Amino acid sequence: MRLSARDLVKAYRGADGAALRVLAGVSLEAKGGDLVAVIGPSGSGKSTLLNVLGLLEPADGGEVWHDEVKVSHLGRRAQARVRGQRIGYVFQSFLLIASMTALENVVLATRYVGRDRRDAERAALALMERMGVADRRGHYPPQLSGGEQQRVAFCRAVLNSPDLLLADEPTGNLDEDNARAILAELRSQASARGALVVLVTHRADAAALADRAWRIHQGRLEPA
C-alpha cells in the first residue's frame, strides 16, 4: 500500500479557550515494505499524527490517502471498515479488555473482517507461541505483566496481516529484552511481509531500525 498525508492540521482547545496547534501542515509519503519512524519529545504531536493517519480522530485540515482512496473523507462506517481490514495498532497503553482472556483479546481483531473463528484462534495461538505468551492465553490482562500485555497487544495488532501497522511508543513500558523482541517483530512485518510500519518513538535504537526517520518539530515534520 501507499500512505500519503497532505498538509495535516490539528488543534485542540485548552481550558482557557485558546487553540493549541499540534499539527501545522504535516505531509509524508511512505509505502509497503517501509519501516518509518517519527521521533520527538512528549507533547510534540507524535501520537496525534498517528491517530489521524489511523483514522482514530479527524484532522482539522488536510487529507489522508491509502493508495488512490482519500480515506480521511470517508464516512464513519467506511472508515471503520478500513481500520478493521487494513490497519493494525500497537498502543503504548495496550488497551486490552480486562474482562477478556489474552486469547480472546487477540481474536477480537477479527470482529470486523468476518474471519472464521476457529481459523482465527489457530492463527492467534501461533502468533502467541512465537511471542512467548501462548501459555498465558487463558489469563486476563490484570494477571499479566506489562511485557506480556504488550506482546498480547502486538499479536492482536498483526493477526489480520494489516497493510498498515501503526505503533505508538510500543517499547515504552518494556524491559530491554521485550523491547528488542517487539522491535524485531516490527522490522519483520515490513521486510518479510511487506507491511508499512509507522513507528512513533523517543528511543534512538528504535529509530535506528527505520528505513527513514522524521522529527516532529513545531507541528511539522523534518528529516531526523
Side-chain angles (χ1 to χ4, degrees), residues 37-53:
V38 178
I39 62 177
S42 178
S44 61
K46 302 187 305 296
S47 294
T48 297
L49 174 59
L50 216 61
N51 288 343
V52 170
L53 294 177

Side-chain angles (χ1 to χ4, degrees), residues 63-158:
E63 302 170 351
V64 178
W65 292 71
H66 290 182
D67 298 321
E68 304 303 318
V69 179
K70 186 163 60 172
V71 293
S72 56
H73 289 57
L74 296 175
R76 292 177 61 186
R77 289 187 177 181
Q79 286 191 347
R81 285 194 295 272
V82 172
R83 288 195 300 268
Q85 294 171 0
R86 302 201 72 183
I87 306 175
Y89 303 87
V90 183
F91 299 102
Q92 181 179 8
S93 55
F94 315 138
L95 298 185
L96 300 176
I97 298 175
S99 61
M100 301 178 73
T101 66
L103 177 59
E104 289 169 340
N105 267 281
V106 176
V107 174
L108 186 64
T110 65
R111 179 176 179 181
Y112 298 107
V113 297
R115 190 170 179 177
D116 177 77
R117 174 78 182 194
R118 290 184 180 180
D119 172 68
E121 287 188 354
R122 283 193 297 269
L125 284 171
L127 269 173
M128 295 174 75
E129 183 71 36
R130 194 171 83 225
M131 296 302 297
V133 288
D135 62 331
R136 306 290 272 166
R137 59 185 176 274
H139 291 73
Y140 294 89
Q143 299 172 319
L144 305 176
S145 70
E148 288 169 339
Q149 289 186 58
Q150 185 62 293
R151 283 178 280 161
V152 169
F154 179 85
C155 292
R156 179 186 59 190
V158 303

